[in-house]
Amino acid sequence: MIAIDEPSLANVLGFMALVSYSITLIPTILRIVFPKTKDTGIPKLLLKHRRIIGIISFLLALVHGLMMIQKRNFDFFDLKTFEIYIQGITTLIIFTLLAITSNNWSVKKLKKNWKKLHKLTYLAMFVLTWHIWDKMSGHWTYLTPISIGIMMGIIALFALRLRIEHQGKQQISEPKLTPAKLPTKITK
């Protein structure tokens, strides 16, 4: 029988960061994968509050990280520490970049680069899944399968979104032949 550990406060905060982060990914996915959800107003509501939810996610992740540093008594001068916690460090760096640029001033200053920078959120999605799987291996809490389930669901919906977008681009680039555009035989 597998023993399930009780989650620490740090794990609960990490879970809350994951849930709020997932909420920031949902509006675009809903709009593309489930277009009828536009009628409900949910994607629009989530888009309206996406930045603040993202900042909340960052703050929860930051406190989660700080609590884990305190709990594990990290040696920041040991390269092994960075090797072991590379996923968490990478995710936190991405979340930090996204949080500090989640404002109108950054959008204006960075212009097209702002969108490119904020696409890092999709990299974070995969690194975060790896982080959860790696760090919780061997000592799962009841939050672990829920976390992995949320991230795998988001990744599956993201992949579906990419497929739908790709198909839409293909349809746009392939000219449709209408009877007026069909080649005709030239007879002499």
Side-chain angles (χ1 to χ4, degrees):
M1 185 169 162
I2 298 172
I4 296 180
D5 298 334
E6 192 66 30
S8 66
L9 177 58
N11 291 108
V12 171
L13 292 172
F15 177 76
M16 290 169 57
L18 174 132
V19 169
S20 55
Y21 166 66
S22 298
I23 291 170
T24 67
L25 298 171
I26 290 175
T28 309
I29 289 173
L30 287 178
R31 199 175 74 236
I32 294 168
V33 177
F34 306 107
K36 292 195 184 248
T37 58
K38 286 182 199 174
D39 300 338
T40 66
I42 293 171
K44 191 174 184 176
L45 177 71
L46 292 174
L47 274 172
K48 183 178 177 181
H49 300 290
R50 179 188 264 173
R51 286 185 191 173
I52 192 68
I53 295 168
I55 291 169
I56 290 168
S57 178
F58 161 71
L59 293 172
L60 289 166
L62 180 64
V63 174
H64 162 76
L66 291 172
M67 289 179 83
M68 294 309 290
I69 288 169
Q70 183 181 23
K71 179 180 177 182
R72 302 260 162 81
N73 208 8
F74 291 151
D75 178 4
F76 286 103
F77 297 106
D78 184 3
L79 287 177
K80 199 104 171 130
T81 299
F82 290 98
E83 185 181 310
I84 293 169
Y85 295 101
I86 189 70
Q87 317 98 328
I89 293 166
T90 302
T91 304
L92 193 57
I93 289 169
I94 292 171
F95 280 6
T96 302
L97 290 170
L98 298 178
I100 61 176
T101 58
S102 287
N103 55 66
N104 292 337
W105 183 83
S106 294
V107 173
K108 288 177 189 171
K109 288 293 178 190
L110 295 173
K111 297 179 180 153
K112 289 181 184 179
N113 292 325
W114 185 88
K115 261 193 169 172
K116 289 178 185 176
L117 177 68
H118 278 254
K119 285 184 179 183
L120 284 174
T121 194
Y122 303 116
L123 174 61
M125 182 172 50
F126 294 100
V127 177
L128 185 56
T129 305
W130 175 30
H131 173 70
I132 296 163
W133 189 268
D134 185 55
K135 296 304 158 238
M136 296 309 292
S137 291
H139 49 88
W140 280 30
T141 71
Y142 62 86
L143 296 176
T144 308
I146 297 169
S147 300
I148 291 173
I150 289 170
M151 291 311 300
M152 295 309 287
I154 291 289
I155 289 170
L157 289 171
F158 176 70
L160 187 56
R161 172 195 157 189
L162 291 178
R163 184 172 176 221
I164 291 168
E165 288 175 333
H166 180 70
Q167 287 173 341
K169 286 179 184 175
Q170 276 186 327
Q171 288 176 354
I172 291 169
S173 66
E174 294 174 6
K176 293 181 182 174
L177 294 177
T178 61
K181 293 181 182 176
L182 289 175
T184 57
K185 265 189 173 177
I186 300 175
T187 55
K188 289 187 180 182

